[in-house]
Every structure is written in C-alpha cells, then in structure tokens.
Amino acid sequence: MPGFGRVAATAVAVGALATVAVVAALNRLDAGDPVADRCSATAEGTSWNLSPVQTDNAALIGITAVERGLPARAATIGIATGLQESKLVNIDYGDRDSLGLFQQRPSQGWGSEAEILDPVYSTNAFYDVLETIDGYETLDVTDAAQRVQRSAFPLAYAQHETRSRAWASALSGYSEAALTCELAAVENPTGETTALVERIDRDLGDVPREVDGDTVTVDTEGFGGTTARDRVRTSWAVAQWAVATAQDTDADAVTVDGHRWTRSSPTWEEIDGGPAPGQVEIRVAPAPDE
C-alpha cells in the first residue's frame, strides 16, 4: 500500500447540494437563535459558532498541529478540510469507501477503516501528507487542501477559510480568550478526572500533568515551543482546547494566565491568582455532595 507522502487521497465527492447544506447548517448556528450548547471562536469582532461535537473535533485538529510544531496555517487548512468533507463529524460513511473527519479512503492508501475512523490517526495522516507539500504555508487554503484531498470540487474549501482561521488562531493560542463554550451543567457523580486525563493523554501526548482531587494542572513547558512567549501561547492553546473538549471531559472550569472560563459564566473573566505562567488548571465538575 502506498505511503502517505506519495499518495494523495481522493476525498468524498460532495455534490453542489451537499455543499449548500454545509453552509446553510453552519449559518444557522450564526443566526442568533437560542442554542442550548454551542461554542464560538471570535476574530476581528465576528464570532463563528460550531456545535460541541464539531468543536471537539476542531480542538483535536488544532491541538495536534501545536503538538507537532506546525504553524497555525496548518490548523486552518485542516479545520477547513474537515468542515467541507464531513462538517467536522467523524462519519462512518461517504462516497465509495470514504470515511471519517477527512473522508479518507482505504483504497487510496490512507489506512484501514478502523484506523481512518480513529480521529487521532486520521488527523495525523492528514498532516503527514500536508507536510510533504512544499510551501503549503503560503498557498491559498483551498489549494493546499486540494493537494492533500484531490477532491472533485477543488474550490469548495475556500468558503470555510475565514471561519477556520478564527478557530485555528484560538486553538493555536495566538488569539487569547477567543474561544468560549456555552454548555449545560454537567452531571459528574464521582467528581473523578478519568475522562479528562485520558483525553489529555490522547490529544496532548506526554505533556506534564498533575492530578489533585478534581483538578488537573497541565504544564506546557516544551509543548509546541521553548521560549517564554511560546509558553504563553501554548498555555492558551491548551486552555482553549480544554474548553472546546469540555463536553467530553466534564470540565467545569479552566484557568490560565489570570483568566478563567466556567460553565456557569462561559466567558473568559480576569481573576487574581491562578496557576503559574505556562500552566493550565482544568477542573471537572464536582460530585453532587461537594
């Protein structure tokens, strides 16, 4: 089977009606109608909304770029591709044998069905190919995505560029306090951090972390960079990743760089104190009797 660096996949052939449906569905999230659970990334005064499921997958795409030391442009390309190919939902169907977040095809060398349906595997597979494209950082988003995907609709990715740039900037830590989620109160009968710790290990790799009761502190030293400025940026990347994945991890509060997000007050508020520079505190919902 050909390797990723030599074979670009043929993505799902998304028809014109499907493309319209993607845009319409995303626009409905921006229409100002009340939504019980949703997340937003804000850039240049505009908030771009996604559902918690879409946000969860965008978070993986964004933080994986940071973990691999890739520029935010790579995350923009990845998120735009996911929006076009699957609406950022890990689907188990598609055109011919296309599957997953990026509608990758086993028959085109992307891996087995099980591997492609693993979002961690498929995200890294996408970046493996993207990194083989000389100068992808300066290409138009739709051109870079098309060189990876080889889609029958090569211009379709462009419509998602502005939205994807806002999300990528927040998830890469360049836009601070730009990603928020409005989520219902969570039921966490035991107050345990198991789901959170497992997700940290899955998405962030061997980043240092310490568990203390219902709180996990992540230290971003060496994660995606080594300078003091890198640590500020990557701590915001991890913090906004933590908010974006809160639906899955039962996270109830995230604190970083003198700011805190909570489910009860889902905006970033300035606070006194908090973790040391470069660290992120993520607290899960407490047990009912606490």
Side-chain angles (χ1 to χ4, degrees):
M1 183 175 292
F4 291 122
R6 298 187 297 274
V7 177
T10 301
V12 60
V14 180
L17 289 177
T19 298
V20 171
V22 172
V23 177
L26 292 169
N27 285 344
R28 280 197 295 273
L29 284 171
D30 291 328
D33 296 330
V35 178
D37 294 317
R38 69 177 178 186
C39 300
S40 304
T42 301
E44 298 179 349
T46 299
S47 294
W48 300 94
N49 301 323
L50 293 174
S51 73
V53 170
Q54 292 173 308
T55 299
D56 189 275
N57 289 315
L60 172 62
I61 295 170
I63 206 67
T64 299
V66 177
E67 193 272 335
R68 291 174 64 121
L70 300 179
R73 185 70 166 178
T76 298
I77 296 165
I79 293 170
T81 302
L83 280 167
Q84 177 58 31
E85 298 295 352
S86 69
K87 303 181 188 178
L88 283 175
V89 177
N90 191 32
I91 55 179
D92 60 359
Y93 59 88
D95 178 65
R96 290 171 284 187
D97 59 339
S98 299
L99 297 165
L101 287 177
F102 301 98
Q103 289 293 275
Q104 295 158 336
R105 297 180 61 191
S107 64
Q108 295 294 325
W110 285 97
S112 68
E113 291 186 5
E115 286 173 330
I116 291 171
L117 286 172
D118 175 355
V120 175
Y121 174 93
S122 63
T123 297
N124 280 288
F126 178 87
Y127 285 136
D128 285 345
V129 177
L130 182 66
E131 285 191 273
T132 68
I133 299 170
D134 290 338
Y136 76 84
E137 302 93 335
T138 59
L139 291 174
D140 289 342
V141 166
T142 196
D143 290 342
Q146 173 62 5
R147 293 192 190 189
V148 178
Q149 299 294 109
R150 303 298 186 190
S151 170
F153 299 90
L155 302 180
Y157 306 102
Q159 66 190 310
H160 306 294
E161 179 172 355
T162 304
R163 178 188 301 270
S164 299
R165 189 184 305 117
W167 280 91
S169 183
L171 290 165
S172 298
Y174 287 102
S175 296
E176 301 175 359
L179 191 159
T180 62
C181 287
E182 299 176 27
L183 303 172
V186 64
E187 295 183 6
N188 186 18
T190 64
E192 293 181 352
T193 61
T194 302
L196 172 59
V197 169
E198 290 178 351
R199 187 64 187 263
I200 290 171
D201 291 346
R202 192 197 84 165
D203 290 10
L204 308 185
D206 59 357
V207 62
R209 55 172 175 76
E210 181 178 340
V211 180
D212 182 10
D214 60 4
T215 300
V216 179
T217 300
V218 176
D219 193 317
T220 63
E221 183 176 5
F223 181 73
T226 58
T227 69
R229 179 57 194 158
D230 285 335
R231 292 199 70 188
V232 173
R233 178 179 63 81
T234 55
S235 65
W236 272 105
V238 170
Q240 294 184 114
W241 165 88
V243 174
T245 58
Q247 189 87 316
D248 179 59
T249 65
D250 293 337
D252 185 62
V254 180
T255 308
V256 63
D257 193 28
H259 293 75
R260 177 174 292 146
W261 167 92
T262 65
R263 285 180 182 247
S264 59
S265 181
T267 58
W268 288 100
E269 298 181 351
E270 293 188 19
I271 63 165
D272 293 326
Q279 295 185 343
V280 182
E281 286 183 357
I282 310 168
R283 187 190 72 202
V284 300
D289 58 350
E290 295 181 5

